[in-house]
Amino acid sequence: MSAAAIMLAVAAGWTGCLVEDRQVEIVLNDEHCERFAEHHTAANYVTPGLLEFSDELDVLLADNGIDKEQIVDAFLVGGFFEVIEFSHPHDWEIEGIITVERTDIADDPDTLVVYTSVSVEDALGNRTRMTLHPRGVAAIDRALDDYLAGGYPALLLTVISGGVQPPPSPVDPLSFRWESCLAIQVIYTLETRIIDPLGG
Amino acid sequence: MGMPRSLRRCIRCCTIVLLASSPLSAQIEDHLAAYTGANAKGYLEPLADAAGISLSGGLYRGARIPKAGLTISLEFPVTGLFFTGDDETFMAATEGGFAPQRTVEAPTVVGPTQAVIVDGDGGTHFAFPGGFDVGSFAIVAPQLRVGSVFGTEAMVRFFVARIGGSELGRIMLAGFGARHSVSQYFPAEPPFDLAAGFFWQRLTLGENGSGADLLEAGAWSFGAQASRCFSMLKPYTGLWYNSYTLDVSYESDAGGEPETIEIDFEKDYVQWTIGLELDIALFDLFAEYNVAGRGSFAFGLALGF
């Protein structure tokens, strides 16, 4: 048997034996953002924003070529806010809450964020982490579970102002645009074959 | 004259083995997408080490280099290492707005396949991706050695192939070097042969989302080696100074916006090699073990005269 044939046999047998199946858990990151335009002449205001939650998850899965059946888990990781447009001679300090509720089913709003003494000027262009409330986190995680189970949840975020300093008025209106983002992770299983060249 | 059919088959088989690492590289970017710089470095470190160290194996099989005359050797060294338990995990830090900041033991690229999930404030969670559960790393580095002029020989390594279809990019290994006989200058016939040489290599693997190489490694080796022939057996040893750099470039959205993450690895180390060659007519079999901070091995076949 020639040297080449020996090499052939060894290599073919070697690679054939050492191909192994793996189910690897891969993590995808996703962010769901909603922009709010605030223009108010009074301190107490309410601003709703509909989050295209399921649509964006559909896009995430399609972009990564994943079926829902491959998903092991999905959950909320954290949240950010950032003022994206503000131009005023003086700063404003705001406080209030952000609630989340399902619009695809009968649901009560749950508190997602409680914010106090936030400077609008300081938040301009400054991506800031939000401290999330357990009830709101649970509501979003339930929505993710329902999505994975075949539902198509829609989420309504509502900003409920609790106070503005100095108080806005018709001659000095509070006006800015801001964005709230929710960071989500999706864990899915990838079935793959690897070659462990020498075992081990 | 065309290449003999048996040799083409031999090379094709070596190609299969060389590509052993490519499915891994093709899917690594999916895993890395969850990480920005610091975590990605820890996640990839065992693979970077393995690739860098493996490049320095199988560079020589002895120190005898004739003063003159044609010598040609086509060689197929398999060079690699086994991963240890320490390679399976690294200390990873949470990212992406997760609070509180936590540092936990998470799988590396060669570690367990299960993701690791930690709990945070308000019922939030953060997940670290699993690894591929790989026990070893090896590459075949086809090389051609040609001599000799004034006791000097040259060697080139080259291999290129597309991996898993055009969307995954290609693997390319290229390198060149030279060795010079030192023992030819000894006044009397020495009890062993002595040579010194250098070798440079570049390995690129895969393609990231922006079309650049996912992984690029460069390695330099300088050193001296000694050997002695006992009939068909030739034990050899050598002391080499090796240096490698490895750059990884990938697309990540872990920070919120898509961005290109670039991480670098660099290592210098001294390697002591002990090996044995069996000389059977036109082909030789050889095996060696390389002692360094991390042990590695090489074995293979050489055809030539």
Side-chain angles (χ1 to χ4, degrees):
Chain A
M1 186 182 283
S2 70
I6 293 171
M7 191 69 180
L8 176 72
V10 169
W14 181 17
T15 52
C17 291
L18 295 168
V19 175
E20 296 176 6
D21 294 323
R22 293 282 189 277
Q23 286 194 323
V24 184
E25 291 186 350
I26 295 181
V27 178
L28 289 178
N29 291 290
D30 197 23
E31 280 202 354
H32 298 255
C33 297
E34 179 61 23
R35 291 193 169 187
F36 297 89
E38 310 286 11
H39 187 84
H40 307 288
T41 56
N44 295 315
Y45 57 86
V46 174
T47 310
L50 190 63
L51 205 56
E52 304 291 347
F53 189 69
S54 297
D55 291 345
E56 291 180 14
L57 285 170
D58 281 349
V59 170
L60 175 72
L61 300 193
D63 284 350
N64 289 278
I66 303 166
D67 296 326
K68 283 184 184 176
E69 293 72 33
Q70 290 177 257
I71 296 176
V72 177
D73 204 352
F75 39 73
L76 184 62
V77 170
F80 299 93
F81 73 92
E82 178 182 356
V83 173
I84 52 178
E85 192 178 313
F86 175 68
S87 175
H88 204 277
H90 68 80
D91 191 13
W92 306 87
E93 202 165 83
I94 59 175
E95 63 181 52
I97 63 171
I98 301 173
T99 64
V100 58
E101 66 181 288
R102 297 274 291 275
T103 58
D104 57 309
I105 57 172
D107 191 25
D108 292 326
D110 290 301
T111 301
L112 179 63
V113 180
V114 178
Y115 60 96
T116 56
S117 304
V118 173
S119 160
V120 175
E121 195 166 41
D122 288 352
L124 178 63
N126 186 13
R127 192 173 153 89
T128 308
R129 189 177 63 78
M130 300 189 292
T131 300
L132 301 179
H133 196 279
R135 289 180 62 90
V137 173
I140 291 170
D141 283 348
R142 276 198 304 275
L144 282 166
D145 290 342
D146 288 352
Y147 173 81
L148 298 182
Y152 213 74
L155 294 177
L156 179 69
L157 299 179
T158 305
V159 181
I160 304 172
S161 169
V164 179
Q165 287 297 330
S169 66
V171 294
D172 185 22
L174 170 70
S175 183
F176 65 99
R177 284 162 53 82
W178 68 286
E179 184 177 66
S180 170
C181 294
L182 300 176
I184 284 169
Q185 282 188 326
V186 175
I187 305 175
Y188 72 96
T189 301
L190 175 72
E191 291 192 11
T192 186
R193 306 190 87 187
I194 65 148
I195 300 176
D196 199 344
L198 302 159
Chain B
M1 191 176 80
M3 186 183 289
R5 205 171 84 177
S6 59
L7 186 55
R8 286 204 303 270
R9 292 169 73 196
C10 175
I11 291 171
R12 196 176 307 138
C13 280
C14 291
T15 304
I16 295 169
V17 182
L18 177 62
L19 294 182
S21 57
S22 61
L24 192 66
S25 72
Q27 289 159 9
I28 284 172
E29 191 173 24
D30 290 341
H31 284 231
L32 287 174
Y35 281 146
T36 54
N39 280 338
K41 192 159 189 170
Y43 184 78
L44 278 180
E45 192 149 24
L47 185 63
D49 252 5
I53 289 170
S54 296
L55 288 175
S56 64
L59 293 177
Y60 58 90
R61 309 186 325 276
R64 166 158 289 185
I65 303 170
K67 263 189 172 175
L70 181 63
T71 57
I72 297 177
S73 176
L74 181 60
E75 302 166 3
F76 301 95
V78 177
T79 169
L81 52 79
F82 289 98
F83 295 111
T84 67
D86 290 343
D87 295 319
E88 293 180 357
T89 58
F90 74 109
M91 295 311 291
T94 52
E95 303 181 14
F98 180 81
Q101 177 82 19
R102 292 186 62 184
T103 301
V104 300
E105 206 170 70
T108 65
V109 64
V110 301
T113 56
Q114 289 80 27
V116 170
I117 301 172
V118 295
D119 299 331
D121 290 344
T124 55
H125 304 284
F126 185 90
F128 299 93
F132 287 87
D133 188 18
V134 181
S136 62
F137 178 93
I139 58 172
V140 175
Q143 60 195 32
L144 181 67
R145 191 184 304 275
V146 179
S148 66
V149 177
F150 301 114
T152 303
E153 67 174 22
M155 189 179 83
V156 293
R157 275 183 173 179
F158 186 76
F159 180 84
V160 64
R162 296 211 72 84
I163 51 175
S166 58
E167 76 279 8
L168 298 180
R170 66 176 187 174
I171 181 170
M172 189 183 84
L173 172 66
F176 70 89
R179 292 194 309 151
H180 185 70
S181 170
V182 175
S183 46
Q184 67 176 319
Y185 301 110
F186 292 174
E189 181 73 19
F192 55 84
D193 294 302
L194 187 66
F198 73 94
F199 204 76
W200 169 88
Q201 294 171 86
R202 181 171 180 266
L203 173 72
T204 60
L205 200 61
E207 192 172 277
N208 65 20
S210 59
D213 293 325
L214 173 63
L215 181 153
E216 179 184 349
W220 274 102
S221 298
F222 304 87
Q225 57 275 177
S227 66
R228 179 167 180 172
C229 289
F230 297 97
S231 181
M232 293 166 63
L233 288 177
K234 189 200 303 175
Y236 61 94
T237 186
L239 200 61
W240 284 73
Y241 174 79
N242 298 318
S243 170
Y244 72 79
T245 60
L246 190 141
D247 304 323
V248 179
S249 173
Y250 65 97
E251 306 296 308
S252 171
D253 55 5
E257 297 294 325
E259 59 181 322
T260 300
I261 304 286
E262 294 182 351
I263 51 177
D264 307 322
F265 299 88
E266 191 172 347
K267 197 172 218 173
D268 304 297
Y269 61 99
V270 175
Q271 172 182 299
W272 174 42
T273 298
I274 42 176
L276 185 65
E277 181 186 41
L278 176 64
D279 188 349
I280 309 169
L282 284 179
F283 76 94
D284 302 335
L285 298 171
F286 58 94
E288 67 184 41
Y289 184 75
N290 298 304
V291 182
R294 176 193 287 268
S296 62
F297 58 80
F299 61 88
L301 173 77
L303 305 163
F305 57 90

